[in-house]
Amino acid sequence: MTPVSQPISRFPVPELKDLPDDIRARILAVQEKSGFVPNVFLALAHRPDEFRAFFAYHDALMEKEGGLSKAEREMIVVATSGANECQYCVIAHGAILRIRAKNPLVADQVAINYRKADITPRQKAMLAFALKVSLQAQAIEESDFAALRAQGFSEDDAWDIAAIAAFFAMSNRIANVSSMRANPEFYTLGRLPKA
Amino acid sequence: MTPVSQPISRFPVPELKDLPDDIRARILAVQEKSGFVPNVFLALAHRPDEFRAFFAYHDALMEKEGGLSKAEREMIVVATSGANECQYCVIAHGAILRIRAKNPLVADQVAINYRKADITPRQKAMLAFALKVSLQAQAIEESDFAALRAQGFSEDDAWDIAAIAAFFAMSNRIANVSSMRANPEFYTLGRLPKA
Amino acid sequence: MTPVSQPISRFPVPELKDLPDDIRARILAVQEKSGFVPNVFLALAHRPDEFRAFFAYHDALMEKEGGLSKAEREMIVVATSGANECQYCVIAHGAILRIRAKNPLVADQVAINYRKADITPRQKAMLAFALKVSLQAQAIEESDFAALRAQGFSEDDAWDIAAIAAFFAMSNRIANVSSMRANPEFYTLGRLPKA
Amino acid sequence: MTPVSQPISRFPVPELKDLPDDIRARILAVQEKSGFVPNVFLALAHRPDEFRAFFAYHDALMEKEGGLSKAEREMIVVATSGANECQYCVIAHGAILRIRAKNPLVADQVAINYRKADITPRQKAMLAFALKVSLQAQAIEESDFAALRAQGFSEDDAWDIAAIAAFFAMSNRIANVSSMRANPEFYTLGRLPKA
Amino acid sequence: MTPVSQPISRFPVPELKDLPDDIRARILAVQEKSGFVPNVFLALAHRPDEFRAFFAYHDALMEKEGGLSKAEREMIVVATSGANECQYCVIAHGAILRIRAKNPLVADQVAINYRKADITPRQKAMLAFALKVSLQAQAIEESDFAALRAQGFSEDDAWDIAAIAAFFAMSNRIANVSSMRANPEFYTLGRLPKA
Amino acid sequence: MTPVSQPISRFPVPELKDLPDDIRARILAVQEKSGFVPNVFLALAHRPDEFRAFFAYHDALMEKEGGLSKAEREMIVVATSGANECQYCVIAHGAILRIRAKNPLVADQVAINYRKADITPRQKAMLAFALKVSLQAQAIEESDFAALRAQGFSEDDAWDIAAIAAFFAMSNRIANVSSMRANPEFYTLGRLPKA
């Protein structure tokens, strides 16, 4: 089967040299660290103000300390992005989840059906809440928060879970509308135990 | 019927004096301009980094120039927030829509069922696209973009419509999870023709 | 924004002088009492037998005494009509609800998301039942009645809630199919405290 | 298998002798004509005003002359009641449909999946419209009316189809909430060709 | 109303004489036993290997002994086929259910809304599980099995219920895609008490 | 993150030595060929007759020649299993798809959102049809077949697509109900180009 080649995004992707300095610097820093530029950086670059706000928001939610581990934050991304059928987010954050969890299986499991994943009851409660926020936030009620508390989550954790699910509700929609493509590198990252 | 009193948010709402300077300044500026502080500013203030990114993103999408008028941008907010059953967003942005459109009826119409609203075919096409992004972005395809082009929307306009719908997909979820309350002022703003 | 003018109904609207006497009399009585003729009376008038049955049914459910206050009956109408995206019913009965509840905020709250409205737990139970009747009556079971009883509702009250939800399931569909327009007067009625 | 016996309705069913004269008379007339009393008459009798309005409305829609045959009107009832999982309405009106259409197969076919029923393209268009009114009236638009016109339906016919679908949207909900039972007679009526 | 004649299947139906011997023999044996050839045998015959596997699977699930009676197995078929709007399966297996249950009413009741059927609480629990398998198997969890155990079902029974629901999830789709028609004989079988 | 260990199936898994000879032989043959025993063989083995019918059916659909390549058959499995949130089927058949298509990316793409996958328009039409069979077979109509024909698919191909989607509608439900686990081997198979 000869693969059908497609662009990174159906919207314009500017060249690096044409970008504002801060955005080019951020992209080069990511490339330095990861070895490649994740396409989301290129696909959002044609809108510098949105780019800046997007990544500021992303980092405020995903890089912070708190009751949720970084692997758990990625788990929320992968589970809700699976429910929203977002190829870019499942594949890219699936890779990050495998790496952060040091677990080559968990990302595919959580993306397809978290109820059957090799995760703890606490993590299942976290994902049940995240998916309700993602799919039916209007029906969230106090009993949903009680289910989190029963697993030891604080109010701050509840906000984090909800805010991550909400942020990727946005992100999934942008990626789907722009047909944002995941870099081939993401498909294999974290699949093999490090030597 | 005695109304049942409820807090602004089920999460903590810090006092103004305890906020970082830039956030307090922004809130005071809004109060100066509007005559009251919309509750979203207070409800997000317990998370300063998220607050900053949220409003930077909001302003990048809602305050910019472009093919969509400011009233049309608010129309997208109201229609998608209605579909997501978000009380805060429908009521607060409904007020802004009435003011920006100088039309006391359009916000309620669009919030309930845009197909029956007193708007142009072009605006109906815009809202049909926005609602598909909000409710079923995974199924957006080129024919959806073609329907926008047939009404004269540019590719940049398409991105704007999608990005606003996506941003409020996030915003609606945060407001619903936090039971964010709309200020009473919003209910009546823009309902009467100015003398 | 210049509003786009639309007719009261996409079906024929007869002139008053051409109507049967009893129907003209009813319409004139409403006009006398309200100061204007709500469009539903005009939109149904082309079918005199249906008109008579419709309003006889309506009055039997909405004007009767019983365990539900008149404001609560209107609350059921507004909440279920919101779920059915019926512009005429939300806007017209929203006005009546504001007046009957002497509460300028409750109608918009209930129309958008009753779970977040400033109402009592008893009223939330009433609306949860009404919405299940409206959206999924086939799945109503004895536990749903038990939830009503736990809030002090009688069997007669349960019938009333269900019958109102059912009647407006019909009414919402007729209004949506006929693109029935709400009179501009309804948008502002009851929004300001009486002097 | 020993059948489990259940009452006609989970709400009170008055005795004939306790009913208002006009209602008792109507019930006796039906019994005279049909040989038994369809349970809907008994299940609604505890609410005389609603009973009167219900049957007045029903007769105005189902017994009138017009572009739809009486069999076609019953077809609308059976198809929409199937979609709403209403046992009483499918079984009772299925019997009437078999009799009026002089066709022992059509009722079961239409109740389960009208797309596969032995009916004309014109009837399929009628049922497609009726089901959209029943399940998604908020999305009805002019193209739906155009599809009816293409099959020769008039505007008056369109109203009839919509009004019947809407009336049974109500009726289905009342029957489901009250667990209204179909009389055993209905199950076999019209299944065998008359000798 | 003149019925509209339609073929047994929209796919090819071979003649008996052109079939492999084992398939022709099976069909003749069914005809011998039932007095007619149920159309599913003819509609699948153009694919001999699939035909053989289909009926081997069917018999393994439907003809075996175990905690479920044969009538109960048919009840699962009828309830799930009703939810999947499969005309062939509801009508053909409805007939078998009437015969096996010696109950002329139960098939129509279960096909339309099992919650209102004259069946035992144990049978309702069985059908609730079967319908969740049919409509939302991804969300089945241990509490669903516990509800079965509470009614005395074994683990083996749980597998049987699930496997029957799953098999007819397949069967319903094949019948709907091929517009498979039910034989007229099925509509009346088992409706009258045997003399 | 320490993974949480779980069994192959929540139902009994017999030991190889206790199985009927033909089933043990089939399992050993698969092990010989693949280097491991895919868990589906073990999870179904407690029901020998169902096991035999299941794999006979599977092979009749997946191993045959015809207008669909073997990779395309697997594509149908992966896309519909993704929609049904079936972990075992997405992961196991995803591996087979990567191998048969000699494409390390296509399985994840198709499992998440086939509309954004690097596949041909013909393959997208094939998957659109397969997903309609999987999710809404009752609404399949002649226009769906016409869309296949427009891409060069024969009637026989249409049956194949539908039958594969239907078979995995069954298979997905069995796997979800039994919490069938995918072997770790499947996660990495076919991800790296062969040296």
Side-chain angles (χ1 to χ4, degrees):
Chain A
M1 197 175 96
T2 312
V4 179
S5 186
Q6 293 183 1
I8 283 174
S9 162
R10 75 172 295 293
F11 287 96
V13 177
E15 290 192 54
L16 266 188
K17 69 179 173 53
D18 299 329
L19 291 175
D21 288 350
D22 63 319
I23 290 180
R24 190 173 49 245
R26 167 114 200 202
I27 290 178
L28 292 173
V30 170
Q31 186 174 33
E32 177 80 16
K33 187 180 161 200
S34 310
F36 64 98
V37 183
N39 288 336
V40 64
F41 289 92
L42 303 174
L44 295 181
H46 69 119
R47 292 286 185 111
D49 287 345
E50 298 168 39
F51 178 106
R52 292 180 191 106
F54 182 93
F55 288 106
Y57 214 144
H58 175 276
D59 294 353
L61 294 170
M62 301 303 287
E63 305 296 337
K64 78 189 280 276
E65 302 301 315
L68 308 178
S69 71
K70 286 188 180 175
E72 286 169 342
R73 292 172 199 266
E74 295 297 333
M75 228 180 254
I76 296 168
V77 179
V78 172
T80 58
S81 300
N84 289 324
E85 303 179 30
C86 178
Q87 223 173 76
Y88 185 86
C89 304
V90 170
I91 292 169
H93 287 272
I96 306 175
L97 170 54
R98 285 191 295 271
I99 291 169
R100 295 203 163 165
K102 297 188 204 322
N103 178 330
L105 308 187
V106 70
D108 292 345
Q109 292 174 351
V110 159
I112 301 168
N113 190 344
Y114 80 94
R115 299 174 200 83
K116 312 293 183 184
D118 298 341
I119 57 177
T120 64
R122 182 180 178 274
Q123 289 166 339
K124 287 191 183 174
M126 174 185 82
L127 295 181
F129 187 83
L131 279 161
K132 189 163 180 185
V133 172
S134 189
L135 300 177
Q136 211 190 355
Q138 57 269 47
I140 287 276
E141 54 192 6
E142 284 307 311
S143 62
D144 297 305
F145 288 97
L148 287 182
R149 272 194 305 275
Q151 291 289 346
F153 289 106
S154 69
E155 285 287 299
D156 247 11
D157 297 337
W159 178 279
D160 278 358
I161 299 169
I164 294 168
F167 180 82
F168 282 88
M170 173 175 69
S171 187
N172 293 167
R173 281 159 177 78
I174 295 172
N176 261 322
V177 169
S178 60
S179 292
M180 199 183 292
R181 281 173 59 76
N183 309 56
E185 288 86 345
F186 284 127
Y187 290 76
T188 45
L189 272 172
R191 291 208 175 265
L192 298 174
K194 290 227 169 161
Chain B
M1 198 176 94
T2 312
V4 179
S5 186
Q6 292 184 0
I8 284 174
S9 162
R10 76 172 295 292
F11 287 96
V13 176
E15 291 192 53
L16 266 188
K17 69 178 173 55
D18 298 330
L19 291 174
D21 288 350
D22 63 318
I23 290 180
R24 188 172 51 245
R26 165 114 200 203
I27 290 178
L28 292 173
V30 170
Q31 185 174 34
E32 177 80 14
K33 184 179 162 200
S34 311
F36 65 97
V37 182
N39 288 336
V40 64
F41 290 92
L42 303 174
L44 295 182
H46 71 119
R47 293 286 184 112
D49 287 345
E50 298 167 38
F51 178 106
R52 291 179 191 107
F54 182 93
F55 288 107
Y57 215 145
H58 175 275
D59 294 353
L61 295 170
M62 302 302 288
E63 306 295 337
K64 77 190 280 277
E65 300 303 314
L68 309 178
S69 72
K70 286 190 180 174
E72 285 169 341
R73 290 169 200 269
E74 295 297 332
M75 227 181 254
I76 295 169
V77 179
V78 172
T80 58
S81 300
N84 288 325
E85 303 181 30
C86 179
Q87 223 174 77
Y88 184 86
C89 304
V90 171
I91 293 170
H93 287 272
I96 305 175
L97 170 55
R98 285 191 295 271
I99 291 169
R100 294 202 164 167
K102 297 188 202 327
N103 178 330
L105 309 187
V106 69
D108 292 345
Q109 292 174 352
V110 159
I112 301 168
N113 190 345
Y114 79 94
R115 298 174 201 84
K116 312 293 182 182
D118 298 341
I119 56 178
T120 63
R122 182 179 178 274
Q123 289 166 339
K124 288 191 183 174
M126 173 186 82
L127 295 180
F129 187 83
L131 280 161
K132 188 162 181 186
V133 172
S134 189
L135 300 177
Q136 212 190 353
Q138 58 269 47
I140 287 276
E141 51 192 9
E142 284 307 311
S143 62
D144 297 306
F145 289 96
L148 287 183
R149 270 196 305 276
Q151 293 289 346
F153 289 106
S154 69
E155 284 288 298
D156 247 9
D157 297 337
W159 178 279
D160 277 357
I161 299 169
I164 294 169
F167 180 82
F168 281 89
M170 173 177 69
S171 187
N172 293 166
R173 282 159 177 77
I174 295 173
N176 262 322
V177 169
S178 61
S179 292
M180 198 183 293
R181 282 173 59 75
N183 309 56
E185 288 86 345
F186 284 126
Y187 291 75
T188 45
L189 272 172
R191 291 205 176 270
L192 298 175
K194 291 228 168 158
Chain C
M1 198 176 93
T2 312
V4 179
S5 186
Q6 292 184 359
I8 284 174
S9 162
R10 74 172 297 294
F11 287 95
V13 177
E15 290 192 54
L16 266 189
K17 69 178 174 54
D18 297 330
L19 291 174
D21 288 350
D22 63 319
I23 290 180
R24 190 172 52 244
R26 167 113 199 203
I27 290 177
L28 292 173
V30 170
Q31 185 175 33
E32 177 80 15
K33 186 179 162 198
S34 310
F36 64 98
V37 182
N39 288 337
V40 64
F41 289 93
L42 302 175
L44 295 182
H46 71 118
R47 292 284 185 112
D49 287 345
E50 298 168 39
F51 178 105
R52 290 180 191 107
F54 182 93
F55 289 106
Y57 214 145
H58 175 277
D59 294 353
L61 294 170
M62 302 302 288
E63 305 296 337
K64 78 189 281 275
E65 301 301 315
L68 309 178
S69 71
K70 286 189 179 174
E72 286 168 342
R73 291 171 199 268
E74 295 296 334
M75 227 180 253
I76 296 168
V77 179
V78 172
T80 58
S81 300
N84 289 324
E85 303 180 29
C86 178
Q87 223 173 75
Y88 184 87
C89 304
V90 170
I91 292 169
H93 287 272
I96 305 175
L97 170 54
R98 285 190 295 270
I99 291 169
R100 294 203 163 165
K102 298 188 201 326
N103 178 330
L105 308 188
V106 70
D108 292 345
Q109 292 174 351
V110 159
I112 301 167
N113 190 344
Y114 79 94
R115 299 175 200 83
K116 312 292 184 184
D118 297 341
I119 56 177
T120 64
R122 182 180 178 275
Q123 290 165 338
K124 288 191 183 174
M126 174 186 81
L127 295 180
F129 187 83
L131 279 160
K132 189 162 180 185
V133 173
S134 188
L135 300 177
Q136 211 190 356
Q138 58 268 46
I140 287 275
E141 53 191 8
E142 283 307 311
S143 62
D144 297 305
F145 289 96
L148 287 183
R149 272 196 304 276
Q151 293 288 346
F153 289 106
S154 69
E155 285 288 298
D156 248 8
D157 297 338
W159 179 278
D160 278 357
I161 299 170
I164 294 169
F167 180 82
F168 281 90
M170 174 177 67
S171 187
N172 294 166
R173 282 159 177 78
I174 295 173
N176 262 321
V177 169
S178 61
S179 292
M180 199 184 291
R181 281 172 60 76
N183 310 56
E185 288 86 346
F186 283 127
Y187 291 75
T188 45
L189 272 172
R191 291 206 174 267
L192 298 175
K194 291 228 167 157
Chain D
M1 196 175 99
T2 312
V4 179
S5 186
Q6 292 183 0
I8 283 174
S9 162
R10 76 171 294 294
F11 287 95
V13 176
E15 291 192 53
L16 265 188
K17 69 177 173 55
D18 298 331
L19 291 175
D21 289 349
D22 63 320
I23 290 180
R24 190 173 49 245
R26 165 116 199 199
I27 290 177
L28 292 173
V30 170
Q31 186 174 34
E32 177 80 14
K33 187 180 161 198
S34 311
F36 64 97
V37 182
N39 288 336
V40 63
F41 290 93
L42 303 174
L44 296 181
H46 70 119
R47 293 286 184 110
D49 287 346
E50 299 168 37
F51 178 105
R52 290 180 191 108
F54 181 93
F55 288 106
Y57 214 144
H58 175 276
D59 294 353
L61 294 170
M62 301 302 288
E63 305 296 337
K64 78 190 280 279
E65 301 301 314
L68 309 178
S69 72
K70 285 190 181 173
E72 285 169 341
R73 290 171 200 268
E74 295 297 332
M75 228 180 254
I76 296 169
V77 179
V78 172
T80 58
S81 300
N84 289 326
E85 303 179 30
C86 178
Q87 224 173 76
Y88 185 86
C89 304
V90 170
I91 293 169
H93 287 272
I96 305 175
L97 170 54
R98 284 190 295 272
I99 291 169
R100 295 202 162 166
K102 298 190 203 321
N103 177 332
L105 309 187
V106 70
D108 292 345
Q109 292 174 351
V110 159
I112 301 167
N113 190 344
Y114 79 93
R115 299 175 200 83
K116 312 292 183 182
D118 298 341
I119 56 177
T120 63
R122 182 178 178 274
Q123 289 166 340
K124 287 191 184 174
M126 174 185 82
L127 296 180
F129 187 82
L131 279 161
K132 188 162 180 185
V133 172
S134 189
L135 300 177
Q136 212 190 353
Q138 58 269 43
I140 287 277
E141 51 191 9
E142 284 307 310
S143 62
D144 297 305
F145 288 97
L148 286 183
R149 270 196 306 276
Q151 292 289 346
F153 289 105
S154 70
E155 284 288 300
D156 247 9
D157 297 337
W159 179 279
D160 278 357
I161 298 169
I164 294 169
F167 180 82
F168 281 90
M170 172 176 69
S171 187
N172 292 166
R173 281 160 177 77
I174 295 173
N176 261 322
V177 169
S178 61
S179 293
M180 199 184 291
R181 280 174 60 75
N183 309 55
E185 288 86 345
F186 284 126
Y187 291 75
T188 44
L189 272 171
R191 291 205 176 268
L192 298 174
K194 290 226 168 162
Chain E
M1 198 175 94
T2 311
V4 179
S5 186
Q6 293 183 359
I8 284 173
S9 162
R10 74 172 295 294
F11 287 95
V13 177
E15 290 192 54
L16 267 188
K17 69 178 172 57
D18 298 330
L19 292 173
D21 288 350
D22 63 319
I23 290 180
R24 189 172 51 243
R26 167 115 199 201
I27 290 177
L28 292 173
V30 170
Q31 186 174 34
E32 176 80 17
K33 187 180 162 198
S34 310
F36 65 98
V37 183
N39 288 336
V40 64
F41 290 92
L42 303 175
L44 295 181
H46 69 119
R47 292 285 185 112
D49 286 345
E50 299 168 39
F51 178 105
R52 290 180 192 107
F54 182 93
F55 289 107
Y57 214 145
H58 175 277
D59 293 354
L61 294 170
M62 302 302 288
E63 305 296 337
K64 78 191 279 276
E65 301 301 314
L68 309 178
S69 71
K70 286 190 181 174
E72 286 168 341
R73 290 171 200 267
E74 295 297 332
M75 227 180 253
I76 295 168
V77 179
V78 172
T80 58
S81 300
N84 289 325
E85 303 180 30
C86 178
Q87 225 174 74
Y88 184 87
C89 304
V90 170
I91 292 169
H93 287 272
I96 305 175
L97 171 53
R98 285 191 294 271
I99 291 169
R100 294 203 163 166
K102 298 188 204 321
N103 178 330
L105 309 187
V106 70
D108 292 345
Q109 293 174 349
V110 159
I112 301 167
N113 190 344
Y114 79 93
R115 300 174 198 82
K116 312 292 183 184
D118 298 341
I119 56 176
T120 63
R122 182 179 178 275
Q123 289 166 340
K124 288 191 182 173
M126 174 186 81
L127 295 180
F129 187 84
L131 279 161
K132 189 162 180 186
V133 173
S134 189
L135 300 177
Q136 212 190 355
Q138 58 269 44
I140 288 277
E141 53 192 8
E142 283 307 310
S143 63
D144 297 305
F145 289 97
L148 286 183
R149 272 196 304 275
Q151 293 288 346
F153 289 105
S154 69
E155 284 287 301
D156 248 8
D157 297 337
W159 178 279
D160 278 356
I161 300 170
I164 294 169
F167 180 81
F168 281 89
M170 173 176 68
S171 188
N172 293 166
R173 282 160 176 77
I174 295 173
N176 262 321
V177 169
S178 61
S179 292
M180 199 184 292
R181 281 173 60 75
N183 310 56
E185 288 86 345
F186 284 127
Y187 290 75
T188 44
L189 271 173
R191 292 206 174 267
L192 298 174
K194 291 228 169 159
Chain F
M1 197 176 95
T2 311
V4 179
S5 185
Q6 291 184 1
I8 284 173
S9 162
R10 75 172 294 293
F11 287 95
V13 177
E15 291 193 54
L16 266 189
K17 70 177 171 56
D18 299 330
L19 291 175
D21 288 349
D22 62 319
I23 291 180
R24 189 174 50 245
R26 165 118 200 199
I27 291 178
L28 292 173
V30 169
Q31 186 174 34
E32 178 80 14
K33 186 180 162 198
S34 311
F36 65 98
V37 182
N39 288 335
V40 64
F41 290 92
L42 303 173
L44 295 182
H46 70 118
R47 294 284 185 111
D49 287 345
E50 299 168 37
F51 178 106
R52 291 180 191 108
F54 181 93
F55 289 106
Y57 215 145
H58 175 277
D59 294 353
L61 294 170
M62 301 301 287
E63 306 296 337
K64 78 190 281 278
E65 301 302 314
L68 309 177
S69 71
K70 287 191 180 173
E72 285 168 341
R73 291 170 199 268
E74 295 297 332
M75 228 180 251
I76 296 169
V77 179
V78 172
T80 58
S81 300
N84 289 325
E85 304 179 30
C86 178
Q87 223 174 76
Y88 183 86
C89 304
V90 170
I91 293 169
H93 287 272
I96 305 175
L97 171 54
R98 285 190 294 271
I99 291 169
R100 295 203 162 166
K102 299 189 201 323
N103 177 330
L105 309 187
V106 69
D108 291 346
Q109 292 174 351
V110 159
I112 301 167
N113 190 344
Y114 79 94
R115 298 174 200 84
K116 312 292 183 183
D118 298 342
I119 55 177
T120 63
R122 183 178 177 274
Q123 289 166 339
K124 287 192 183 173
M126 173 186 82
L127 295 180
F129 187 83
L131 280 161
K132 189 162 180 186
V133 172
S134 189
L135 300 177
Q136 213 190 351
Q138 58 269 45
I140 287 276
E141 51 193 8
E142 284 307 311
S143 63
D144 297 305
F145 288 96
L148 287 183
R149 270 195 306 275
Q151 292 288 346
F153 289 106
S154 69
E155 284 288 298
D156 246 10
D157 297 337
W159 178 279
D160 277 357
I161 299 169
I164 293 169
F167 179 82
F168 281 89
M170 173 176 69
S171 187
N172 293 167
R173 282 160 177 77
I174 295 173
N176 262 322
V177 169
S178 61
S179 292
M180 198 184 293
R181 280 172 61 75
N183 309 56
E185 288 85 346
F186 284 126
Y187 291 74
T188 44
L189 271 172
R191 291 205 175 270
L192 298 175
K194 291 226 167 161

